[in-house]
Amino acid sequence: MPAKPFILGDLHFAKKGDAVAYLNTMLHKYDVGDKVDAADSKVLVAALNRHPEGDEKIGCGIAGFSVRTADFGTKCFWVNRTDGSTEKFAHRACVYGNVRPVSG
C-alpha cells in the first residue's frame, strides 16, 4: 500500500515519516530553554491539534512553545499556555496518533 500524504498546517508531506523527520529537525535546531519562533510555532499549533490528547494539552489556550528537557535526558516541545502553565507533548504522537502509556 502506498504512503498517504500528510498535512500539518500549510506543510504537505509525502508520508507521515517525512513529517516526523521535519519536526525532529525543528526540535534539534533549538537548545533546551529556547522559545520556539513564530513560524515554527504555527506548525506546532497544527501538530498539537492532531495529538490524541490535544485538547488536554492545549488547555486554556496556547501562548507559545518552548524546548525543554523530557524523560531520560531527552528534550521535547512544551506548550506554554495562556494561564502560565506548561505541558510537554510528543511530536510523534501528533503524527502517528498514538501515545505511549505512562509507567507508574
Side-chain angles (χ1 to χ4, degrees):
M1 174 167 37
K4 294 167 99 176
F6 188 79
I7 298 170
L8 280 180
D10 294 335
L11 299 176
H12 296 255
F13 300 95
K15 59 187 185 233
K16 289 181 176 183
D18 294 341
V20 170
Y22 182 90
L23 293 171
N24 281 337
T25 298
M26 181 191 301
L27 175 65
H28 292 293
K29 81 178 188 180
Y30 294 99
D31 291 324
V32 170
D34 286 350
K35 289 185 178 184
V36 174
D37 69 32
D40 289 342
S41 289
K42 186 175 176 184
V43 175
L44 291 179
V45 167
L48 193 52
N49 279 314
R50 298 183 69 108
H51 192 287
E53 298 172 355
D55 290 341
E56 292 85 5
K57 301 283 185 185
I58 292 168
C60 61
I62 300 171
F65 295 92
S66 57
V67 172
R68 293 173 38 196
T69 56
D71 302 327
F72 310 110
T74 60
K75 62 182 179 178
C76 72
F77 292 114
W78 288 69
V79 58
N80 306 315
R81 299 185 187 118
T82 55
D83 67 357
S85 64
T86 61
E87 177 76 28
K88 67 182 175 182
F89 66 98
H91 62 275
R92 290 181 60 86
C94 298
V95 175
Y96 292 114
N98 54 353
V99 179
R100 291 183 182 161
V102 178
S103 58

